[in-house]
Amino acid sequence: MHPAPSIILFTTLSGLGFGLLAFLGAGVILPTGLAAFLWFGLGYGLALIGLAASAFHLGHPERALRAFTQWRTSWLSREAVLSAAALLAIAPHAAGLVFWNTPVPVMGAIGAVLCGVTVFATSMIYAQLKTVPRWNHWTTPLVFLLAALTAGALLTGSGYSAQMLLAWLAVAMVLHWILGDGQFARRGSTLGTATGLGLMGRVRQLEPPHTGTNYLLTEMAYVVARRHVRVLRVIALASGCVLPSVLLWSAPYSLLALGIAVLLHLAGMLAQRWLFFAEAEHTVALYYRG
Amino acid sequence: MTSLPEQTERKLGLAIDLDTCVGCHACVISCKGWNTENYGAPLSDTDPYGKDPVGTFLNRVHAYEVTPQDNAPFTVHFPKSCLHCEDAPCVTVCPTGASYKRTEDGIVLVNEDACIGCGLCAWACPYGARELDALAGVMKKCTLCVDRIYNETLPEEDRVPACVRTCPAGARHFGDFADPDSTVSRLSRERGGIELMPELGTRPVNRYLPPRPRDTLQGCAPAPQGDPSTEGLTGFLGWIDRTLSRF
């Protein structure tokens, strides 16, 4: 799948933002006044920048409000509705802390749960697609949820939770890669089943249907990054989980170390998301198999 | 509404005869022509006469080589367009309700005025039947020529999809798969019509009629590979071979 920068930014930054808001909503830390303004501002900012980035890949962003209507069937629509609900639910809690030094724990808790469900809905946009077997797997929501929670723990400086979550995230990422590698073959779709001609013999492409490229190939048969998969996986794992964990362990009370850990984690997660898209194979590529 | 109808009154679709298709691409061109000049945003091309021509098509003809276990390989031309699935995953993923499946005839359509061009439906389709138009920014797909088949201003013989009307080989058949006596149902029954990627559970309506069994071709063993042999050469050629072999 084509790793569009807008979608990589959308999933990474909104995950970061909703993770932070979930921790703030749950009352893991209760900043007040200006500190609360900055903390909630960061959470809202990241979530909204992420959501805005997702609008950049739309053919008609001016019609984006229509995406709130089909929540009965569409995970993308559910994600839109839930993200709006989460941001609204946390608002009284945030405003209470910023202006009156008073938390509104009920709204905070509801908002925290909604933040988690929003990230789950984001992951299901991808995990629901049977056409992309690597995504159509329980490790997809697991990685998305753990990534968001890890970001929340890091951004609120919750050292112990962060250490636990970084470890779990590392395990989930490795599982997603290892199990994902065999997922396409396990589903059994081949050029033979795609054309139905497999019943008659061995099938291979003799001639493509067009001389140039097309939307299907550029969007769903992206192969550029696959060559660097191993290096990128190491980078994602090291920068996303191992190095932040080492930093937190070696300098537990240093704000500078925490800041660097957050930036490293962000870089690692961007690499992970790049791989998430670039490595994913779509069944339509079968029709172009030699 | 992106909920799928539990059942459609009719199941309009195509039966495509892979034995008859000659791979002329006339269906590709007539489809592009009709759907550019009629309903919806035109199917655009970018750089059509330049170095890097790319365009939107609703129907594309692949060509495959099939090698049976005990017979000579043969070529199959393979037109591919929307299969108007009964369990169409492209419809349910749509966040705006632009994608829908019609209850009356089962045709899967896009309301282009409601499409935000997110591209998720194209990702959800296993077959590559949907293409986002680069200029219009909306999703395009086969409409089964909904603006022809019910169009009473057209002569009756033209009230079929453009690809069916134009096919010079008669390889494309249009009809109602819900009616067991329709031509397409009968053809599919008699010829063992194939469903594409049944393992994904999309329940496509369109059927592909597989190439009929070939005669076993005698004496068509593959040509010998490797170095040509000079064994047993005599006379003048043998002398040349022996002479050249010394060096």
Side-chain angles (χ1 to χ4, degrees), chain A residues 79-111:
Chain A
E79 199 264 348
V81 173
L82 286 164
S83 61
L87 294 179
L88 287 175
I90 294 223
H93 180 63
L97 284 168
V98 172
F99 299 112
W100 298 286
N101 296 346
T102 321
V104 187
V106 179
M107 292 315 289
I110 293 174

Side-chain angles (χ1 to χ4, degrees), chain B residues 16 18 26 57 103 124 131 154-155 160 183 226 238:
Chain B
I16 297 170
L18 298 178
F57 287 81
T103 316
E131 299 189 16
L154 293 177
V160 290
T183 320

